[in-house]
Amino acid sequence: MRIEYDREADALYIHLRQAPVEDNIDIEDGVTVDVDAEKHIVGIEILDASTRLSPEELSQVSVENLIPAPVPESSR
């Protein structure tokens, strides 16, 4: 996962995984979710990020409970 902020565009993009983007889904004005061909989320774009998030929120990223639970065989 990677989080990028483009000051010139004032856009925040959260890359969740590497996959070709097939479609975009507008969640609300200025917030778009990119999805792959199977409609799995690839990333999230937030426009006008500096007005939606404070400078503290833009500069601090917290990672918690990063180790995922094992996926049962029947769910694969």
PDB file of all heavy atoms in Angstrom, residues 5-23:
ATOM      1  N   TYR A   5       0.577  12.255  -1.968  1.00  0.00           N
ATOM      2  CA  TYR A   5      -0.104  13.550  -2.005  1.00  0.00           C
ATOM      3  C   TYR A   5       0.558  14.408  -3.070  1.00  0.00           C
ATOM      4  O   TYR A   5       1.770  14.602  -3.062  1.00  0.00           O
ATOM      5  CB  TYR A   5      -0.036  14.254  -0.647  1.00  0.00           C
ATOM      6  CG  TYR A   5      -0.651  15.634  -0.674  1.00  0.00           C
ATOM      7  CD1 TYR A   5      -2.011  15.800  -0.916  1.00  0.00           C
ATOM      8  CD2 TYR A   5       0.131  16.751  -0.494  1.00  0.00           C
ATOM      9  CE1 TYR A   5      -2.579  17.061  -0.965  1.00  0.00           C
ATOM     10  CE2 TYR A   5      -0.428  18.026  -0.533  1.00  0.00           C
ATOM     11  CZ  TYR A   5      -1.783  18.165  -0.774  1.00  0.00           C
ATOM     12  OH  TYR A   5      -2.336  19.422  -0.816  1.00  0.00           O
ATOM     13  N   ASP A   6      -0.222  14.925  -3.992  1.00  0.00           N
ATOM     14  CA  ASP A   6       0.249  15.801  -5.057  1.00  0.00           C
ATOM     15  C   ASP A   6      -0.176  17.225  -4.696  1.00  0.00           C
ATOM     16  O   ASP A   6      -1.362  17.564  -4.779  1.00  0.00           O
ATOM     17  CB  ASP A   6      -0.357  15.361  -6.390  1.00  0.00           C
ATOM     18  CG  ASP A   6       0.090  16.207  -7.565  1.00  0.00           C
ATOM     19  OD1 ASP A   6       0.500  17.373  -7.372  1.00  0.00           O
ATOM     20  OD2 ASP A   6       0.022  15.692  -8.699  1.00  0.00           O
ATOM     21  N   ARG A   7       0.797  18.041  -4.267  1.00  0.00           N
ATOM     22  CA  ARG A   7       0.484  19.418  -3.841  1.00  0.00           C
ATOM     23  C   ARG A   7      -0.095  20.250  -4.985  1.00  0.00           C
ATOM     24  O   ARG A   7      -1.019  21.032  -4.776  1.00  0.00           O
ATOM     25  CB  ARG A   7       1.733  20.115  -3.314  1.00  0.00           C
ATOM     26  CG  ARG A   7       2.168  19.653  -1.962  1.00  0.00           C
ATOM     27  CD  ARG A   7       3.381  20.482  -1.518  1.00  0.00           C
ATOM     28  NE  ARG A   7       4.086  19.849  -0.435  1.00  0.00           N
ATOM     29  CZ  ARG A   7       3.837  20.089   0.839  1.00  0.00           C
ATOM     30  NH1 ARG A   7       2.896  20.927   1.161  1.00  0.00           N
ATOM     31  NH2 ARG A   7       4.522  19.465   1.775  1.00  0.00           N
ATOM     32  N   GLU A   8       0.468  20.098  -6.181  1.00  0.00           N
ATOM     33  CA  GLU A   8       0.008  20.895  -7.316  1.00  0.00           C
ATOM     34  C   GLU A   8      -1.462  20.620  -7.635  1.00  0.00           C
ATOM     35  O   GLU A   8      -2.235  21.531  -7.894  1.00  0.00           O
ATOM     36  CB  GLU A   8       0.882  20.607  -8.534  1.00  0.00           C
ATOM     37  CG  GLU A   8       0.640  21.559  -9.666  1.00  0.00           C
ATOM     38  CD  GLU A   8       1.635  21.360 -10.787  1.00  0.00           C
ATOM     39  OE1 GLU A   8       2.841  21.253 -10.496  1.00  0.00           O
ATOM     40  OE2 GLU A   8       1.178  21.306 -11.942  1.00  0.00           O
ATOM     41  N   ALA A   9      -1.853  19.360  -7.599  1.00  0.00           N
ATOM     42  CA  ALA A   9      -3.239  18.981  -7.888  1.00  0.00           C
ATOM     43  C   ALA A   9      -4.103  18.991  -6.629  1.00  0.00           C
ATOM     44  O   ALA A   9      -5.324  18.887  -6.729  1.00  0.00           O
ATOM     45  CB  ALA A   9      -3.281  17.596  -8.512  1.00  0.00           C
ATOM     46  N   ASP A  10      -3.474  19.108  -5.449  1.00  0.00           N
ATOM     47  CA  ASP A  10      -4.147  19.006  -4.158  1.00  0.00           C
ATOM     48  C   ASP A  10      -4.984  17.724  -4.104  1.00  0.00           C
ATOM     49  O   ASP A  10      -6.165  17.731  -3.774  1.00  0.00           O
ATOM     50  CB  ASP A  10      -5.019  20.227  -3.869  1.00  0.00           C
ATOM     51  CG  ASP A  10      -5.485  20.280  -2.418  1.00  0.00           C
ATOM     52  OD1 ASP A  10      -4.879  19.603  -1.558  1.00  0.00           O
ATOM     53  OD2 ASP A  10      -6.471  20.993  -2.143  1.00  0.00           O
ATOM     54  N   ALA A  11      -4.324  16.625  -4.487  1.00  0.00           N
ATOM     55  CA  ALA A  11      -5.000  15.324  -4.552  1.00  0.00           C
ATOM     56  C   ALA A  11      -4.231  14.302  -3.715  1.00  0.00           C
ATOM     57  O   ALA A  11      -3.005  14.234  -3.775  1.00  0.00           O
ATOM     58  CB  ALA A  11      -5.104  14.846  -5.984  1.00  0.00           C
ATOM     59  N   LEU A  12      -4.965  13.522  -2.967  1.00  0.00           N
ATOM     60  CA  LEU A  12      -4.403  12.428  -2.179  1.00  0.00           C
ATOM     61  C   LEU A  12      -4.841  11.122  -2.832  1.00  0.00           C
ATOM     62  O   LEU A  12      -6.019  10.968  -3.185  1.00  0.00           O
ATOM     63  CB  LEU A  12      -4.928  12.481  -0.749  1.00  0.00           C
ATOM     64  CG  LEU A  12      -4.391  11.425   0.207  1.00  0.00           C
ATOM     65  CD1 LEU A  12      -2.989  11.825   0.658  1.00  0.00           C
ATOM     66  CD2 LEU A  12      -5.289  11.303   1.420  1.00  0.00           C
ATOM     67  N   TYR A  13      -3.897  10.222  -3.055  1.00  0.00           N
ATOM     68  CA  TYR A  13      -4.235   8.935  -3.648  1.00  0.00           C
ATOM     69  C   TYR A  13      -3.714   7.825  -2.761  1.00  0.00           C
ATOM     70  O   TYR A  13      -2.537   7.820  -2.383  1.00  0.00           O
ATOM     71  CB  TYR A  13      -3.657   8.779  -5.066  1.00  0.00           C
ATOM     72  CG  TYR A  13      -4.282   7.615  -5.795  1.00  0.00           C
ATOM     73  CD1 TYR A  13      -5.501   7.751  -6.429  1.00  0.00           C
ATOM     74  CD2 TYR A  13      -3.673   6.369  -5.796  1.00  0.00           C
ATOM     75  CE1 TYR A  13      -6.095   6.665  -7.070  1.00  0.00           C
ATOM     76  CE2 TYR A  13      -4.255   5.284  -6.440  1.00  0.00           C
ATOM     77  CZ  TYR A  13      -5.477   5.448  -7.067  1.00  0.00           C
ATOM     78  OH  TYR A  13      -6.068   4.376  -7.690  1.00  0.00           O
ATOM     79  N   ILE A  14      -4.589   6.909  -2.425  1.00  0.00           N
ATOM     80  CA  ILE A  14      -4.232   5.747  -1.618  1.00  0.00           C
ATOM     81  C   ILE A  14      -4.217   4.539  -2.539  1.00  0.00           C
ATOM     82  O   ILE A  14      -5.264   4.111  -3.025  1.00  0.00           O
ATOM     83  CB  ILE A  14      -5.226   5.543  -0.462  1.00  0.00           C
ATOM     84  CG1 ILE A  14      -5.305   6.810   0.394  1.00  0.00           C
ATOM     85  CG2 ILE A  14      -4.833   4.322   0.372  1.00  0.00           C
ATOM     86  CD1 ILE A  14      -6.466   6.825   1.374  1.00  0.00           C
ATOM     87  N   HIS A  15      -3.017   4.032  -2.831  1.00  0.00           N
ATOM     88  CA  HIS A  15      -2.856   2.839  -3.664  1.00  0.00           C
ATOM     89  C   HIS A  15      -3.002   1.627  -2.744  1.00  0.00           C
ATOM     90  O   HIS A  15      -2.177   1.434  -1.852  1.00  0.00           O
ATOM     91  CB  HIS A  15      -1.453   2.781  -4.281  1.00  0.00           C
ATOM     92  CG  HIS A  15      -1.139   3.917  -5.186  1.00  0.00           C
ATOM     93  ND1 HIS A  15      -1.315   3.849  -6.538  1.00  0.00           N
ATOM     94  CD2 HIS A  15      -0.657   5.151  -4.930  1.00  0.00           C
ATOM     95  CE1 HIS A  15      -0.940   4.997  -7.082  1.00  0.00           C
ATOM     96  NE2 HIS A  15      -0.548   5.799  -6.119  1.00  0.00           N
ATOM     97  N   LEU A  16      -4.027   0.850  -2.935  1.00  0.00           N
ATOM     98  CA  LEU A  16      -4.230  -0.323  -2.086  1.00  0.00           C
ATOM     99  C   LEU A  16      -3.508  -1.551  -2.627  1.00  0.00           C
ATOM    100  O   LEU A  16      -3.041  -2.385  -1.856  1.00  0.00           O
ATOM    101  CB  LEU A  16      -5.718  -0.610  -1.920  1.00  0.00           C
ATOM    102  CG  LEU A  16      -6.491   0.496  -1.200  1.00  0.00           C
ATOM    103  CD1 LEU A  16      -7.980   0.183  -1.198  1.00  0.00           C
ATOM    104  CD2 LEU A  16      -5.979   0.683   0.214  1.00  0.00           C
ATOM    105  N   ARG A  17      -3.450  -1.678  -3.941  1.00  0.00           N
ATOM    106  CA  ARG A  17      -2.744  -2.812  -4.540  1.00  0.00           C
ATOM    107  C   ARG A  17      -2.443  -2.501  -5.995  1.00  0.00           C
ATOM    108  O   ARG A  17      -3.055  -1.607  -6.586  1.00  0.00           O
ATOM    109  CB  ARG A  17      -3.540  -4.100  -4.417  1.00  0.00           C
ATOM    110  CG  ARG A  17      -4.885  -4.083  -5.052  1.00  0.00           C
ATOM    111  CD  ARG A  17      -5.724  -5.297  -4.634  1.00  0.00           C
ATOM    112  NE  ARG A  17      -6.949  -5.334  -5.371  1.00  0.00           N
ATOM    113  CZ  ARG A  17      -7.104  -5.849  -6.583  1.00  0.00           C
ATOM    114  NH1 ARG A  17      -6.093  -6.419  -7.186  1.00  0.00           N
ATOM    115  NH2 ARG A  17      -8.259  -5.828  -7.185  1.00  0.00           N
ATOM    116  N   GLN A  18      -1.490  -3.239  -6.546  1.00  0.00           N
ATOM    117  CA  GLN A  18      -1.102  -3.059  -7.937  1.00  0.00           C
ATOM    118  C   GLN A  18      -2.022  -3.895  -8.822  1.00  0.00           C
ATOM    119  O   GLN A  18      -2.033  -5.114  -8.721  1.00  0.00           O
ATOM    120  CB  GLN A  18       0.350  -3.500  -8.152  1.00  0.00           C
ATOM    121  CG  GLN A  18       1.347  -2.641  -7.430  1.00  0.00           C
ATOM    122  CD  GLN A  18       1.483  -1.251  -8.040  1.00  0.00           C
ATOM    123  OE1 GLN A  18       0.598  -0.742  -8.713  1.00  0.00           O
ATOM    124  NE2 GLN A  18       2.609  -0.633  -7.785  1.00  0.00           N
ATOM    125  N   ALA A  19      -2.802  -3.231  -9.632  1.00  0.00           N
ATOM    126  CA  ALA A  19      -3.690  -3.895 -10.580  1.00  0.00           C
ATOM    127  C   ALA A  19      -4.143  -2.846 -11.590  1.00  0.00           C
ATOM    128  O   ALA A  19      -4.233  -1.657 -11.253  1.00  0.00           O
ATOM    129  CB  ALA A  19      -4.899  -4.502  -9.872  1.00  0.00           C
ATOM    130  N   PRO A  20      -4.431  -3.255 -12.802  1.00  0.00           N
ATOM    131  CA  PRO A  20      -4.940  -2.299 -13.786  1.00  0.00           C
ATOM    132  C   PRO A  20      -6.305  -1.753 -13.355  1.00  0.00           C
ATOM    133  O   PRO A  20      -7.170  -2.501 -12.911  1.00  0.00           O
ATOM    134  CB  PRO A  20      -5.081  -3.132 -15.066  1.00  0.00           C
ATOM    135  CG  PRO A  20      -4.259  -4.347 -14.858  1.00  0.00           C
ATOM    136  CD  PRO A  20      -4.237  -4.587 -13.371  1.00  0.00           C
ATOM    137  N   VAL A  21      -6.466  -0.447 -13.487  1.00  0.00           N
ATOM    138  CA  VAL A  21      -7.749   0.187 -13.155  1.00  0.00           C
ATOM    139  C   VAL A  21      -8.681   0.032 -14.344  1.00  0.00           C
ATOM    140  O   VAL A  21      -8.362   0.432 -15.462  1.00  0.00           O
ATOM    141  CB  VAL A  21      -7.554   1.676 -12.797  1.00  0.00           C
ATOM    142  CG1 VAL A  21      -8.899   2.355 -12.598  1.00  0.00           C
ATOM    143  CG2 VAL A  21      -6.682   1.809 -11.556  1.00  0.00           C
ATOM    144  N   GLU A  22      -9.834  -0.562 -14.091  1.00  0.00           N
ATOM    145  CA  GLU A  22     -10.824  -0.807 -15.139  1.00  0.00           C
ATOM    146  C   GLU A  22     -11.941   0.243 -15.128  1.00  0.00           C
ATOM    147  O   GLU A  22     -12.507   0.567 -16.158  1.00  0.00           O
ATOM    148  CB  GLU A  22     -11.420  -2.203 -14.944  1.00  0.00           C
ATOM    149  CG  GLU A  22     -12.389  -2.634 -16.001  1.00  0.00           C
ATOM    150  CD  GLU A  22     -11.719  -2.971 -17.322  1.00  0.00           C
ATOM    151  OE1 GLU A  22     -10.517  -3.285 -17.335  1.00  0.00           O
ATOM    152  OE2 GLU A  22     -12.403  -2.909 -18.352  1.00  0.00           O
ATOM    153  N   ASP A  23     -12.253   0.777 -13.947  1.00  0.00           N
ATOM    154  CA  ASP A  23     -13.389   1.693 -13.823  1.00  0.00           C
ATOM    155  C   ASP A  23     -13.183   2.579 -12.605  1.00  0.00           C
ATOM    156  O   ASP A  23     -12.355   2.285 -11.744  1.00  0.00           O
ATOM    157  CB  ASP A  23     -14.688   0.893 -13.692  1.00  0.00           C
ATOM    158  CG  ASP A  23     -15.936   1.716 -13.994  1.00  0.00           C
ATOM    159  OD1 ASP A  23     -15.820   2.878 -14.431  1.00  0.00           O
ATOM    160  OD2 ASP A  23     -17.040   1.181 -13.782  1.00  0.00           O
TER     161      ASP A  23
END
